[in-house]
Amino acid sequence: MNKSDLLDELRLEVGLAYDYARDRDDFIGRIGRALFEGAWRNITISIYFVEKEEKIRPVHYFGNSMMLGREGTFGEGWLKVCRSGKPIVLKRDRDQTILLPVREADGVKHILSLRISADIYVLTEQDFVFAEELSRFIEAKGKLL
């Protein structure tokens, strides 16, 4: 499957996450699950909830147990970077991570960390556009739940 087809498939799956969500937490969890399953479980997804733009706590995790130990915790320094509301791409060796802040009226409420090895999938501009679309979708639909 080419990249465009994969991203289109992920868009469809994320749309279904909203259709079946019971509340905001269920919605964000379903999005994580849809991305994880849609990427054939080759991605590690951590979703963090931001309390009062100061305290961060993990609320959902999708990945294998070997990656769990490497993920660690989301540092508050990264929260300052995410306050811009724009997706951020981090690269270290073959690891690539997109930090995707999701805003609500009073600031960043969730941060999705999507990590995949460049050996499996190389991030491009298409992925960055998808991440921005995903952020806007979560923000818009989250208001309705």
Side-chain angles (χ1 to χ4, degrees):
M1 177 180 295
N2 70 37
K3 185 178 287 241
S4 293
D5 291 343
L6 172 63
L7 295 176
D8 285 345
E9 183 68 28
L10 291 175
R11 285 178 182 95
L12 290 172
E13 293 300 321
V14 165
L16 289 174
Y18 172 74
D19 292 343
Y20 292 103
R22 295 182 305 271
D23 56 32
R24 285 183 187 163
D25 185 59
D26 185 47
F27 175 50
I28 201 89
R30 285 177 182 271
I31 286 173
R33 171 68 61 195
L35 294 171
F36 180 67
E37 296 293 334
W40 308 293
R41 299 177 175 239
N42 289 320
I43 189 169
T44 300
I45 301 172
S46 301
I47 303 174
Y48 301 91
F49 178 73
V50 181
E51 299 174 11
K52 301 177 187 174
E53 294 233 10
E54 298 170 1
K55 187 177 179 184
I56 305 156
R57 64 180 169 87
V59 290
H60 298 283
Y61 180 83
F62 304 94
N64 64 47
S65 59
M66 290 176 59
M67 295 303 286
L68 180 61
R70 293 183 53 210
E71 183 65 17
T73 58
F74 188 87
E76 291 182 16
W78 286 115
L79 175 59
K80 291 179 183 177
V81 174
C82 288
R83 283 191 181 135
S84 72
K86 300 286 185 190
I88 299 155
V89 176
L90 308 171
K91 293 184 179 184
R92 183 181 65 205
D93 299 324
R94 301 300 292 162
D95 281 343
Q96 311 165 107
T97 302
I98 295 178
L99 297 179
L100 181 63
V102 177
R103 301 180 63 81
E104 286 185 12
D106 56 346
V108 175
K109 282 298 175 188
H110 287 93
I111 299 171
L112 284 73
S113 171
L114 313 169
R115 184 169 17 127
I116 191 163
S117 171
D119 295 332
I120 297 170
Y121 184 91
V122 176
L123 293 175
T124 66
E125 184 67 25
Q126 278 182 293
D127 300 294
F128 198 71
V129 169
F130 172 76
E132 288 177 326
E133 289 172 1
L134 180 59
S135 178
R136 286 192 302 271
F137 176 79
I138 295 169
E139 290 167 6
K141 295 299 187 179
K143 292 176 186 176
L144 303 175
L145 294 172

